[in-house]
Each structure stands twice: as structure tokens, then as C-alpha cells.
Amino acid sequence: MTTVVFADLVGSTSMFERLGDETASRFVTQLVGALSQVFEQHNGRIVKLLGDGLFVVFPQEGDALAACISIQKRFLEKPIRPGGSGAPVQMQMGIESGEVVEIDGDCFGDTVNSAARLADLAGAAQILTTQNVWKALGPMQQTSLRSLGPMHLRGRAEASHVYRVEWQSGRDEDATMMGRSMVSEAGPVVLELVAGAQALQVHAATPKVSIGRGAGASLALNDPRVSRMHATLEWRGGQFVLGDASSYGTWVYFGNQSEAVVLRRTECYLVGSGQISAGCERKEGSPLINFSISS
């Protein structure tokens, strides 16, 4: 078994626009070089440098997790600001464990693809992993993982049980939401919903939000595929929870994934950003709600 890590720099496009290609490229090269050393200190092997990220493999799940947490903590304790100004550097990371095919030093397979998808799904300062990794960790490391439930990762037919690594010890669970800034202190977490011309912000203190075709819905979708009381949204246990109550179901697309988590009288946590399609899978003309979580 091999453990695969993808670590990507958040917001690199805006950094290149602000600093210019030459300065930003020099900064990213230096940063990726420093990160490579940290991974190697934890027994990792750099497979590829990905421009603004790294593809790393480890012989042990615990080493991979420790390396990722070490890097996230360094950025929190000593923020690095490209060009000396602007937002500090943040990384999004994915960890997966399983069989890997190695050819001429490169690595391929479902495990590699899964780790890359997890990194895509993760928000800033976030580490996501799966039950494969959770099972291989010792009891102490397992306590740092919090279940987000089953999610469909792009390219995989079956849902993966995804975990979020709670690496910021000493903070309450409300301070560890997907996409939360590493350097902001205890700001409120906000879920923003946008459906056409409608926009709605949901906070931890907001009463349960209703989505449906009915006139009394908090977010009204005038479409025959949408039930009168289609779904609800509420803050529960440090998460925004979407619950389906419809006749036809609710499709949830996380990040840039093309495959959805399909809810039929079931629930899922909302993390990061994505789209909710009520009553049918996402396609042209379907009733869509864009969502994003920020602090």
C-alpha cells in the first residue's frame, strides 16, 4: 500500500496577476522547494512538482498525515505573504492510500486520482482524506479526523467516506470549517446561497432554512421538479447540514466534481463550494443553487 498526497497552493492565479509572472514564478519555485524538504523529512518522495503544487508518495499513512499537518501549522504560525503584502499563503491537501502503479518513477492509478480529487475538494488550509487512511492510523491520529460522510469523488463510481483533518488544536469545531482562513480569529462562518436573482446568507444562528416551490420557502424555486418543501438547511454540530425532503431527490455537486452526491430523504454536510440541483441532476435549465462557505 502507498499513501499519496496532493498539495496545491490556493489562489495562485490572483497572485500571478498581482505580482506578475516573473516574480510570482520565483516565489512559487522557492515555496515548493521548501515544502519538498518538509515532505522528505517525513519520509515522503516527491513524484512531481505541479507548478503551484506537489505530488508526493509515502510508505506510511501516519507519515503523510504528519507532514501535511506540519506544513499547515507552519503557515499558521508564520504567515507568508507573497510580495510582502496581500493574503498569506494557504494550501489545500488531499491524502489517499491504496495500490499504486509505478512506471519510471511516476505513479498512476485510482489512489492517485482520488488524492487529487480530495485536494480539489478541500478548501484553504484544509486537509481531506478517506476511510482507507483512517483505518491505517493509530488511535491518537484517528482522533484528529472528523467524518464528513460519503461523497462522490469525480471519476469514481462508488462514494468515498471522506474525513477532514482537524489540525488546529485548541480551537472549537466552529473554527474549523472548510475554507476558513488560517489567520483570522473566530470570525463567523457564512453559507451563501445564490439561485438566479435570489441570494441568501446562512449563519450558525440562523433558524432552519427551507428550500422549495412553496411561497413560504426561504429560498423559492419555481420549477415543477421542485417539491413544495424540497429541502432544509441548518447549522448542526459545527456543520451546515442539507436534508432532502422531496419527491424526486436533490443532487449536490462539490467543487468542480461532475458526479453528485444524490440525496433521497437523506442528509449530507455542505463543505467548500459547489452547486445544489433540486429535483433532477444538473443540466441546462435545471433549478440550481450555487453555494459557498466562507468566514
Side-chain angles (χ1 to χ4, degrees), residues 96-161:
E96 178 63 295
S97 179
E99 299 295 331
V100 169
V101 177
E102 185 170 340
I103 302 175
D104 296 331
D106 204 348
C107 295
F108 305 89
D110 187 56
T111 300
V112 175
N113 296 335
S114 178
R117 299 290 82 77
L118 288 165
D120 289 342
L121 178 60
Q126 184 69 47
I127 308 168
L128 294 185
T129 188
T130 68
Q131 195 158 28
N132 294 334
V133 174
W134 183 88
K135 288 179 178 178
L137 297 174
M140 289 299 294
Q141 286 186 309
Q142 283 181 340
T143 61
S144 69
L145 271 59
R146 179 172 181 177
S147 172
L148 297 179
M151 295 186 184
H152 280 275
L153 303 180
R154 190 176 63 199
R156 304 193 73 175
E158 297 182 357
S160 300
H161 196 118

Side-chain angles (χ1 to χ4, degrees), residues 55 159 285:
F55 169 15

Side-chain angles (χ1 to χ4, degrees), residues 2-249:
T2 301
T3 305
V4 178
V5 169
F6 274 78
D8 297 324
L9 181 64
V10 176
S12 59
T13 300
S14 60
M15 181 183 68
F16 273 80
E17 292 175 350
R18 183 170 63 87
L19 299 180
D21 290 347
E22 182 178 352
T23 301
S25 295
R26 186 165 55 248
F27 172 82
V28 170
T29 299
Q30 294 173 347
L31 177 66
V32 169
L35 295 178
S36 298
Q37 294 180 13
V38 177
F39 281 123
E40 290 169 349
Q41 290 167 1
H42 289 84
N43 302 314
R45 178 176 72 83
I46 310 301
V47 178
K48 287 181 181 178
L49 301 180
L50 306 172
D52 59 354
L54 302 96
F55 169 15
V56 193
V57 294
F58 292 80
Q60 300 291 335
E61 292 83 355
D63 289 341
L65 181 63
C68 291
I69 291 175
S70 175
I71 288 171
Q72 297 287 22
K73 286 185 174 180
R74 288 191 184 196
F75 286 139
L76 175 64
E77 294 164 0
K78 297 181 179 180
I80 300 172
R81 300 178 185 273
S85 61
V89 169
Q90 294 179 301
M91 302 293 294
Q92 54 192 109
M93 299 176 168
I95 309 173
E96 178 63 295
S97 179
E99 299 295 331
V100 169
V101 177
E102 185 170 340
I103 302 175
D104 296 331
D106 204 348
C107 295
F108 305 89
D110 187 56
T111 300
V112 175
N113 296 335
S114 178
R117 299 290 82 77
L118 288 165
D120 289 342
L121 178 60
Q126 184 69 47
I127 308 168
L128 294 185
T129 188
T130 68
Q131 195 158 28
N132 294 334
V133 174
W134 183 88
K135 288 179 178 178
L137 297 174
M140 289 299 294
Q141 286 186 309
Q142 283 181 340
T143 61
S144 69
L145 271 59
R146 179 172 181 177
S147 172
L148 297 179
M151 295 186 184
H152 280 275
L153 303 180
R154 190 176 63 199
R156 304 193 73 175
E158 297 182 357
S160 300
H161 196 118
V162 176
Y163 290 79
R164 185 181 63 211
V165 180
E166 304 286 10
W167 58 269
Q168 297 187 65
S169 60
R171 295 198 175 197
D172 63 33
E173 60 186 12
D174 290 359
T176 55
M177 288 299 298
M178 177 83 72
R180 179 175 173 80
S181 168
M182 294 187 301
V183 297
S184 59
E185 292 297 328
V189 178
V190 179
L191 167 64
E192 183 169 11
L193 304 170
V194 178
Q198 301 178 81
L200 179 66
Q201 288 192 339
V202 184
H203 305 263
T206 303
K208 183 181 291 188
V209 169
S210 60
I211 299 170
R213 201 173 72 248
S218 308
L219 195 66
L221 300 174
N222 186 20
D223 189 287
R225 293 164 290 188
V226 179
S227 298
R228 290 188 178 277
M229 176 53 72
H230 193 96
T232 60
L233 262 169
E234 63 179 319
W235 176 265
R236 189 199 312 155
Q239 296 275 7
F240 288 110
V241 181
L242 174 67
D244 175 73
S246 71
S247 300
Y248 300 114

